[in-house]
Amino acid sequence: MTSAGPGQPGDTSDADLKVLECQSDLFVLLDGDGFVIYSNGAAQRTLGYSPAALVGRHITDLIHPGDLEGAIEALGELRSGLHVTPAIFRVQRGDGDWMPLELSATSRIDSGPFAGRVVVVGRYPGDHDVQMRISHLLTEGAPIGEVITLIPELGRWRHPERCYLVMFDDVHGNPARMGDGVVAQLIDDHAGEATPWARATASRATVECSPDELPEELRSAAASAGLASCRAVPVPDPLHGSTAVIIEWAATGGPQLSVHRYSVGQMSTALSLVLHWRRHVTELERAARSDGLTGLSNRASFFDQLDARLCSPERGAAADPESPAEVEPLVGVLYVDLDRFKVVNDVYGHGTGDEVLTEVARRMSSVLREHDVLARLGGDEFAVLCLGLHKVNEVTAVADRLLTALNSEPIEVEGRAVSIGASIGIAFAPTTAIPGGSDALLELADGAMYEAKTAGRNRWVIARTS
């Protein structure tokens, strides 16, 4: 038992304080001026101080400057005989770092060994701390993997002897994992439908396995790692329509998983929140970069991708339309304007016009190369970004395919046959950044498109830069 020595309150005996030494919470006694006269052994476990090291220090010496005003106000309330309800303060650890502690205090003790003293109780608000850190990362726009690394902390702070891991799909749909390495190794070494995580994924229900219920090889490997029973908790992923899984392993000789379910419930709730947040953010980002009618890239997205290519050090020589066999451009832009589309809107209405635009987008998308980018700039204007070019005729071949796709057959809309053609202007990126950047390049293509219209429509023209 640790006693405060000379500062021990009144006639307090070891027997009086013995119960405090058995507590996991921090118990501190203050005199009327706010100086520590006793601390139980939780000071070492929680803050890294020996209890004796706290004796004689003023309680405010341990409080973060940003929380000091609230702490002083709380001391004033205690001197007035009020009870201080739990509040979270940042408290300095023995190593100099700050950690959150939920502190409550009272001075309403009229008899016994604590009479006339201030009793302060502190505990680490683990769930609150981790949840606040998760919220901070989400609002800061941190990568989702970084956020998910905190999910196991909701279990680990209560059960440090256990191992945790989260299996999920990243934003691109690729498998990812965050958590303890020993669990990751078990997953790598033991696949198959009989594993708890595979069963939880397939059934979308929690699976708990005692050692006897685990596949033999997995049970043996887990035992070698000091692990016994396993729990796998599925969490729906609304972005991909897939299932993330929280995996929890109990240590050999430790409490059974069935005894403690609260932590994994907190983890499941937090992971669900994070995955739903990701879906909402992803949908907003997609909406900001795509055309609402056709689903193509919008103007802003097109310019972002064009800017990125114009700044790329991998671009080669500029295209020279006069010598198509020798040039090797890497970036080409096609400006596509539908011919006589205004007539469609005027005669059939904007609803029919929207259906025509959607079908035009589908047809053009179907004839582009894998890495080409098609965008709707607005109205009946589209643009194509062609990458990986080596000859001018590669771009003109793309333009020919676009025209063929549009002219191959009329577009059927509610029993009406609507014929649509297009005028296309083509421009190439120069060797070095041109004045005006992507805006200037698109203007070149736009000018060539008007030349195509003047020449009779339904054709392409290459812009001349000199």
Side-chain angles (χ1 to χ4, degrees), residues 380-455:
D380 62 345
E381 297 179 341
F382 297 81
V384 179
L385 173 60
C386 291
L387 307 174
L389 303 173
H390 300 285
K391 296 180 180 179
V392 169
N393 59 14
E394 290 181 272
V395 175
T396 58
V398 171
D400 285 334
R401 290 199 298 273
L402 292 174
L403 293 176
T404 299
L406 296 178
N407 293 323
S408 59
E409 58 184 20
I411 297 174
E412 294 289 336
V413 180
E414 297 181 356
R416 304 184 183 100
V418 178
S419 297
I420 287 291
S423 298
I424 302 175
I426 303 173
F428 297 96
T431 305
T432 57
I434 60 175
S438 55
D439 286 325
L441 186 61
L442 199 64
E443 286 179 9
L444 285 173
D446 187 19
M449 180 272 294
Y450 278 106
E451 288 187 35
K453 283 192 178 294
T454 302

Side-chain angles (χ1 to χ4, degrees), residues 81-431:
L82 299 176
H83 175 75
V84 177
T85 56
I88 294 176
F89 294 88
R90 286 165 290 179
V91 179
Q92 191 168 40
R93 291 175 44 84
D95 59 11
D97 287 341
W98 300 94
M99 71 172 294
L101 276 187
E102 183 183 77
L103 302 178
S104 59
T106 186
S107 60
R108 293 180 178 177
I109 303 178
D110 299 325
S111 62
F114 303 148
R117 308 299 182 182
V118 174
V119 181
V120 179
V121 181
R123 59 170 56 94
Y124 171 58
D127 290 342
H128 178 273
D129 180 34
V130 177
Q131 288 163 359
M132 290 298 292
R133 289 156 61 194
I134 289 173
S135 297
H136 174 74
L137 289 179
L138 288 176
T139 54
E140 290 294 314
I144 201 69
E146 183 179 346
V147 181
I148 290 180
T149 58
L150 293 178
I151 300 296
E153 294 297 323
L154 289 166
R156 197 176 288 129
W157 80 267
R158 270 195 178 87
H159 308 291
E161 78 284 355
R162 295 185 179 178
C163 292
Y164 298 90
L165 183 137
V166 179
M167 300 172 61
F168 64 102
D169 292 335
D170 66 18
V171 70
H172 304 294
N174 300 315
R177 298 182 305 218
M178 293 293 173
D180 293 305
V182 63
V183 182
Q185 191 62 53
L186 289 174
I187 293 173
D188 286 339
D189 295 342
H190 302 277
E193 297 178 356
T195 61
W197 43 92
R199 290 167 56 192
T201 300
S203 66
R204 298 198 173 186
T206 297
V207 174
E208 289 188 12
C209 293
S210 66
D212 292 340
E213 295 171 319
L214 293 169
E216 183 177 353
E217 291 186 1
L218 177 58
R219 178 173 67 249
S220 176
S224 298
L227 303 176
S229 52
C230 178
R231 175 161 47 210
V233 180
V235 178
D237 181 347
L239 178 62
H240 301 299
S242 57
T243 302
V245 179
I246 298 168
I247 302 172
E248 179 183 26
W249 282 91
T252 302
Q256 293 298 307
L257 291 174
S258 58
V259 177
H260 300 111
R261 290 193 173 94
Y262 179 79
S263 293
V264 77
Q266 292 291 95
M267 294 169 65
S268 177
T269 299
L271 181 58
S272 179
L273 181 148
V274 170
L275 294 177
H276 277 82
W277 175 281
R278 178 176 71 170
R279 182 191 66 178
H280 293 315
V281 170
T282 301
E283 289 177 347
L284 287 173
E285 290 175 345
R286 287 175 179 171
R289 298 180 59 81
S290 63
D291 174 57
L293 176 64
T294 63
L296 301 175
S297 295
N298 61 15
R299 188 181 190 92
S301 176
F302 181 82
F303 273 100
D304 285 345
Q305 295 177 79
L306 179 55
D307 284 338
R309 296 307 302 178
L310 291 179
C311 294
S312 171
E314 299 178 359
R315 287 187 298 111
D320 178 3
E322 300 297 332
S323 306
E326 299 177 2
V327 296
E328 296 184 350
L330 288 180
V331 179
V333 171
L334 289 74
Y335 199 116
V336 182
D337 186 88
L338 303 185
D339 295 331
R340 299 187 178 91
F341 179 75
K342 184 176 182 299
V343 175
V344 176
N345 277 336
D346 291 344
V347 174
Y348 302 115
H350 289 279
T352 297
D354 287 347
E355 293 188 48
V356 170
L357 289 172
T358 301
E359 175 61 15
V360 164
R362 187 197 68 78
R363 290 189 182 187
M364 289 197 294
S365 297
S366 70
V367 298
L368 294 179
R369 302 169 311 156
E370 180 180 0
H371 300 296
D372 293 339
V373 177
L374 175 63
R376 183 183 176 212
L377 303 181
D380 62 345
E381 297 179 341
F382 297 81
V384 179
L385 173 60
C386 291
L387 307 174
L389 303 173
H390 300 285
K391 296 180 180 179
V392 169
N393 59 14
E394 290 181 272
V395 175
T396 58
V398 171
D400 285 334
R401 290 199 298 273
L402 292 174
L403 293 176
T404 299
L406 296 178
N407 293 323
S408 59
E409 58 184 20
I411 297 174
E412 294 289 336
V413 180
E414 297 181 356
R416 304 184 183 100
V418 178
S419 297
I420 287 291
S423 298
I424 302 175
I426 303 173
F428 297 96
T431 305

